[in-house]
Amino acid sequence: MTEHAVLRLEFSEVEDLTAQLRGIAADVVPLLPGRFTGSLSSVQLGDIGIQVVRSAPVLLLGTAAPGMTGLIQLLDGSADARWNGRRIGPEEVALCAGRSQHEAVYQEAFACTVIGFDSAGGPGGAKMARDQAPLADGSLATLRPNADAQAGLAVIGRAIEAATATGCAVLRDAEARRGLRAAILDTTRGLLAPPEAAGKPQGCGSPSRQRIVHAADAYLRAHPARPIYTEELCAALGVSATSLYQAFRATFGMSPHRYLKLRRMGMVRTALRARSGPWRSVKAIALSHGFWHLGQFARDYKALYGETPSVTLSRTRMAGHDVGDPGPAGDGLPCPAG
């Protein structure tokens, strides 16, 4: 798979499907007689890959792929699913790394999201995964993350599947891919965070945390015209993702990812209200600011500003008497619908 591939594949042989998986190497046996059916929706983001697998009922014996860390979440068909001999549900996430082994049986048709990280020199999410103590004995770790992280991964998985199924070109946009990568990393940190740390408010901001927050604000003000994501902010400030998270959690009660998303939303609104701007559609503005899930973007924008982005753009055009503009004023957000 190429470094920036966006694929939707259908399979009639189970071996062809498993050969495309990232993060886990598996031997799979179909449980129903007749022709096997399965599909794979896949987006590759450099050293991070996200895949949504749909399959007929199967029995699976797997191990973590060499040099890879995998996270697996069930999306559909969890009623009779078992991982390592016990029933599991969509509220749990499997972690495959090191020598971890995965035995599973899916008694009904199912779908799952698989995030695969290149472990060597990979992103912060892969490092956290490698450091997880439950994998020391080679067994599969099942995590019960906080509800926001669990729901976030499900949203990403379903949006990826919708986008690839419709042939939507959104995920080929460079800025949208940066936004998706940032969302995956933030979700991974939430999945791997200890339960008590995930939702526990931090204490009063210390001077060091205040310095981090103010330094972050200064960096954002120095780069007002483009989206900034957590990885870049950590590198620019010389701090770890954990330190950045703790500083923003203590100061604002939210993650830096949420803070940066709100800032990007404000940048979108400024662009929509700018009469002299180059934008001719809501979709173009949203993608340029890293909003890869366009349906969710439209809902979040309306919740924040009390109107749809298309209404904001239309009002700007009316105020500027731009009646001759043939460009679409609508949201232009058909995929993924979310």
Side-chain angles (χ1 to χ4, degrees):
M1 189 183 298
T2 62
E3 185 178 3
H4 301 297
V6 178
L7 300 173
R8 167 73 178 194
L9 302 172
E10 303 286 339
F11 299 93
S12 59
E13 297 290 341
V14 69
E15 294 86 357
D16 295 339
L17 191 159
T18 56
Q20 296 292 329
L21 295 178
R22 286 177 55 87
I24 182 170
D27 293 320
V28 180
V29 178
L31 294 180
L32 295 182
R35 186 172 179 267
F36 173 81
T37 58
S39 67
L40 182 71
S41 301
S42 182
V43 178
Q44 186 63 31
L45 302 164
D47 56 353
I48 302 175
I50 181 165
Q51 300 177 313
V52 178
V53 179
R54 285 196 176 270
S55 172
V58 295
L59 179 152
L60 179 149
L61 292 173
T63 58
M68 296 291 296
T69 296
L71 290 167
I72 308 169
Q73 180 194 41
L74 274 170
L75 286 176
D76 298 316
S78 61
D80 294 310
R82 289 179 178 270
W83 287 349
N84 290 15
R86 69 180 187 86
R87 292 184 181 275
I88 53 86
E91 72 280 358
E92 295 177 277
V93 175
L95 173 62
C96 299
R99 303 182 310 278
S100 64
Q101 297 177 318
H102 179 193
E103 302 91 43
V105 59
Y106 304 91
Q107 299 282 5
E108 60 183 38
F110 70 97
C112 63
T113 302
V114 181
I115 300 178
F117 298 95
D118 289 345
S119 297
K127 181 181 185 301
M128 284 189 289
R130 292 198 306 273
D131 293 344
Q132 290 296 302
L135 297 176
D137 62 357
S139 61
L140 178 80
T142 54
L143 313 172
R144 190 177 288 268
N146 69 81
D148 288 343
Q150 179 270 323
L153 179 55
V155 167
I156 290 173
R158 295 190 189 280
I160 291 296
E161 187 175 34
T164 57
T166 59
C168 182
V170 166
L171 296 178
R172 292 183 172 86
D173 180 89
E175 199 57 59
R177 294 172 66 86
R178 287 187 68 212
L180 173 57
R181 179 187 172 86
I184 291 174
L185 286 175
D186 184 68
T187 300
T188 299
R189 294 184 186 103
L191 293 172
L192 299 176
E196 65 275 9
K200 182 178 179 181
Q202 303 291 328
C204 296
S206 67
S208 62
R209 289 177 179 172
Q210 289 179 329
R211 283 194 295 270
I212 290 174
V213 169
H214 283 274
D217 179 69
Y219 186 80
L220 295 175
R221 285 188 284 105
H223 301 84
R226 64 180 178 85
I228 304 296
Y229 302 96
T230 303
E231 278 189 297
E232 179 181 345
L233 201 53
C234 288
L237 303 185
V239 300
S240 68
T242 299
S243 296
L244 190 71
Y245 175 88
Q246 291 176 343
F248 273 84
R249 186 71 179 172
T251 305
F252 299 121
M254 67 177 65
S255 70
H257 178 80
R258 172 66 175 164
Y259 178 87
L260 293 172
K261 180 180 177 180
L262 289 173
R263 180 180 182 274
R264 288 188 291 125
M265 194 73 75
M267 293 170 67
V268 167
R269 184 165 178 83
T270 298
L272 289 170
R273 298 181 67 243
R275 300 180 187 179
S276 59
W279 310 108
R280 301 177 66 81
S281 73
V282 171
K283 180 177 179 179
I285 298 175
L287 291 177
S288 73
H289 289 84
F291 290 100
W292 64 276
H293 191 328
L294 299 177
Q296 190 64 52
F297 158 76
R299 290 190 290 272
D300 289 345
Y301 184 97
K302 184 175 182 180
L304 187 61
Y305 296 113
E307 64 183 18
T308 65
S310 62
V311 168
T312 306
L313 183 57
S314 295
R315 192 172 60 251
T316 300
R317 286 178 168 167
M318 291 177 64
H321 303 290
D322 194 6
V323 295
D325 183 0
D331 289 337
L333 307 176
C335 56

